[in-house]
């Protein structure tokens, strides 16, 4: 989610309609020829789903040939297939209480565990939960994976990733609160990056990012990247992962605080070669593992929130404002 999006959802829809935001199909900018190694020069971005409020958390499920993605304000996870298009997969997806509320209450980041379980960042319920049902027969039955730190309820878990050894890392900004950062229900005074080990112990890894967001592990399994949505440190930080799985040696990977484009730094993914695909101002920023900017997928009038790959990394799925896009890269 983006802190700088201060418009109400209804006004955002009005502006989208009036100015043709839905027609912003995205263009590929080749800053370096290195980008042609992963994206063909003639590749085109295509829209595959629309009509949502704010799309997030795309996850391709190869076994079912389906894309799952969150519509956060609608409290819904949709599935998309080539045959049937967009269909409701889970509702409610992130807020299961009967007490009425608004805001970004639904699910956000989605993750498929090694056991084939769907893990869900649930803003409204302020936890990471597991769906207790098969992927091909979804049910709104959830079990809490992690919902507290130091005896206090989390803010609104946003994104997550699991290491090969089974440590679960996640970010916990405050975007899910109905009344913003001053919501009286907020129990933790900061927005953290956390690790939960296989025994369920939760440890704080970083409390100095104003709004931590996307998170991913590099192929070397020794380094991690975390997005900082906005502010003076808007961009991405890199960490070393020590032998105990803790994050050390924090440093700037790339800073975009001076960029004035649409959207903040949100979800991201890393391919098998270590290239980083990170949503940021005006679209997806593409870097080498050494933070060299080699290209962008530009959406000048949409707020791009997240992306996902097919297993062979030849197809990218992008969530942007009320749409989902597909890019056949190779």
């Amino acid at each position: 989610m983006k802190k700088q999006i201060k418009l109400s959802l209804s006004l955002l829809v009005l502006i989208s309609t009036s100015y043709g935001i839905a027609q912003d199909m995205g263009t590929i900018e080749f800053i370096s020829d290195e980008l042609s190694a992963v994206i063909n020069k003639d590749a085109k971005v295509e829209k595959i789903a629309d009509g949502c409020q704010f799309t997030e958390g795309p996850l391709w499920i190869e076994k079912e040939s389906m894309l799952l993605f969150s519509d956060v304000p609608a409290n819904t996870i949709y599935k998309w297939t080539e045959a049937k298009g967009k269909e409701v997969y889970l509702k409610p997806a992130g807020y299961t209480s009967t007490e009425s509320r608004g805001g970004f209450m639904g699910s956000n980041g989605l993750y498929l565990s090694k056991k084939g379980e769907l893990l869900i960042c649930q803003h409204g319920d302020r936890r990471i939960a597991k769906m207790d049902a098969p992927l091909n027969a979804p049910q709104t039955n959830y079990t809490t994976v992690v919902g507290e730190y130091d005896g206090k309820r989390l803010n609104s878990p946003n994104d997550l990733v699991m290491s090969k050894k089974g440590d679960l890392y996640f970010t916990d900004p405050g975007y899910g609160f109905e009344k913003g950062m001053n919501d009286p229900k907020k129990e933790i005074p900061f927005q953290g990056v956390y690790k939960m080990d296989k025994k369920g112990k939760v440890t704080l890894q970083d409390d100095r990012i104003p709004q931590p967001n996307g998170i991913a592990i590099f192929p070397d399994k020794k380094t991690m990247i975390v997005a900082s949505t906005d502010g003076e440190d808007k961009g991405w930080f890199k960490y070393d992962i020590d032998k105990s799985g803790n994050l050390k040696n924090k440093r700037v990977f790339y800073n975009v605080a001076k960029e004035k484009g649409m959207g903040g730094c949100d979800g991201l993914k890393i391919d098998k070669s270590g290239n980083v695909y990170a949503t940021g101002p005006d679209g997806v920023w593409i870097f080498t593992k050494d933070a060299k900017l080699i290209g962008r997928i530009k959406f000048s009038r949409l707020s791009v929130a997240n992306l996902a790959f097919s297993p062979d990394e030849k197809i990218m799925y992008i969530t942007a404002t009320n749409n989902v896009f597909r890019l056949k890269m190779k």
Side-chain angles (χ1 to χ4, degrees):
M1 243 60 69
K2 314 294 188 295
K3 183 177 179 181
Q4 66 261 46
I5 299 177
K6 299 178 180 178
L7 298 171
S8 68
L9 288 171
S10 59
L11 183 56
L12 180 59
V13 171
L14 176 61
I15 292 175
S16 300
T17 303
S18 301
Y19 290 90
I21 289 180
Q23 301 305 313
D24 186 354
M25 297 297 291
T27 57
I28 303 170
E29 179 185 12
F30 284 76
I31 296 174
S32 167
D33 286 340
E34 292 173 76
L35 184 61
S36 61
V38 292
I39 300 178
N40 288 335
K41 288 279 189 179
D42 59 353
K44 301 294 183 183
V45 179
E46 59 177 320
K47 185 193 298 184
I48 60 172
D50 57 17
C52 299
Q53 295 182 47
F54 195 91
T55 55
E56 256 283 10
L59 173 67
W60 178 258
I61 307 293
E62 179 67 13
K63 186 177 180 180
E64 304 297 330
S65 298
M66 67 180 177
L67 180 75
L68 300 181
F69 63 93
S70 299
D71 187 346
V72 189
N75 199 16
T76 301
I77 293 174
Y78 287 102
K79 77 171 182 179
W80 177 89
T81 60
E82 193 76 56
K84 296 184 178 181
K86 183 184 74 174
E87 301 175 275
V88 172
Y89 184 77
L90 285 173
K91 184 180 178 69
Y95 180 63
T96 58
S97 172
T98 58
E99 182 180 348
S100 179
R101 63 153 289 180
F104 291 104
M105 60 180 167
S107 61
N108 197 309
L110 308 175
Y111 190 84
L112 188 65
S113 76
K114 295 178 181 178
K115 296 180 181 179
E117 300 166 328
L118 180 63
L119 303 184
I120 306 169
C121 288
Q122 295 186 318
H123 275 351
D125 286 352
R126 300 167 65 180
R127 64 179 178 174
I128 294 175
K130 176 182 70 174
M131 181 183 73
D132 290 325
L135 292 171
N136 60 2
Q139 298 289 330
T140 54
N141 301 325
Y142 306 114
T143 298
T144 299
V145 175
V146 54
E148 294 184 349
Y149 167 69
D150 197 25
K152 298 179 176 64
R153 292 190 69 187
L154 297 173
N155 297 321
S156 53
N158 190 280
D159 207 355
L160 70 167
V161 67
M162 188 173 288
S163 71
K164 187 176 181 179
K165 62 182 284 189
D167 290 330
L168 179 66
Y169 299 87
F170 63 95
T171 57
D172 187 41
Y175 296 120
F177 287 115
E178 188 175 15
K179 297 180 181 180
M181 296 303 292
N182 295 319
D183 195 304
K185 294 181 179 179
K186 193 177 192 301
E187 299 180 19
I188 299 175
F190 52 82
Q191 292 64 248
V193 180
Y194 297 93
K195 180 193 77 171
M196 186 182 77
D197 65 21
K198 290 186 293 185
K199 296 181 180 179
K201 181 181 179 181
V202 180
T203 54
L204 177 66
Q205 300 297 308
D206 192 350
D207 62 357
R208 302 299 297 275
I209 299 178
Q211 295 287 9
N213 208 309
I215 187 169
I217 298 174
F218 281 85
D220 64 8
K221 302 177 179 61
K222 297 178 180 179
T223 47
M224 177 175 287
I225 189 170
V226 175
S228 176
T229 305
D230 45 36
E232 293 182 358
D233 63 1
K234 181 178 179 179
W236 303 274
F237 289 103
K238 194 173 183 179
Y239 305 78
D240 295 329
I241 304 173
D242 69 15
K243 293 181 179 180
S244 299
N246 295 313
L247 304 185
K248 305 292 184 183
N249 190 25
K250 177 182 177 182
R251 64 269 194 195
V252 173
F253 179 79
Y254 201 96
N255 185 281
V256 290
K258 295 182 180 180
E259 294 288 333
K260 304 299 182 183
M262 180 76 170
C265 299
D266 206 314
L268 56 92
K269 297 295 185 291
I270 302 175
D271 69 18
K272 295 172 185 176
S273 299
N275 299 308
V276 177
Y277 305 74
T279 63
D282 283 347
V284 180
W285 294 57
I286 306 171
F287 305 93
T288 67
K289 61 184 178 180
D290 300 316
K292 177 183 177 182
L293 180 64
I294 60 174
R296 291 190 293 179
I297 305 170
K298 301 184 73 174
F299 293 84
S300 60
R301 294 167 297 180
L302 292 176
S303 182
V304 180
N306 213 328
L307 62 112
F309 290 120
S310 59
D312 61 7
E313 298 183 342
K314 292 183 179 181
I315 300 176
M316 181 191 301
Y317 297 93
I318 302 168
T319 54
T321 308
N322 55 347
N323 309 296
V324 180
F325 296 90
R326 176 173 63 182
L327 171 63
K328 294 181 179 179
M329 302 164 65
K330 285 290 185 179

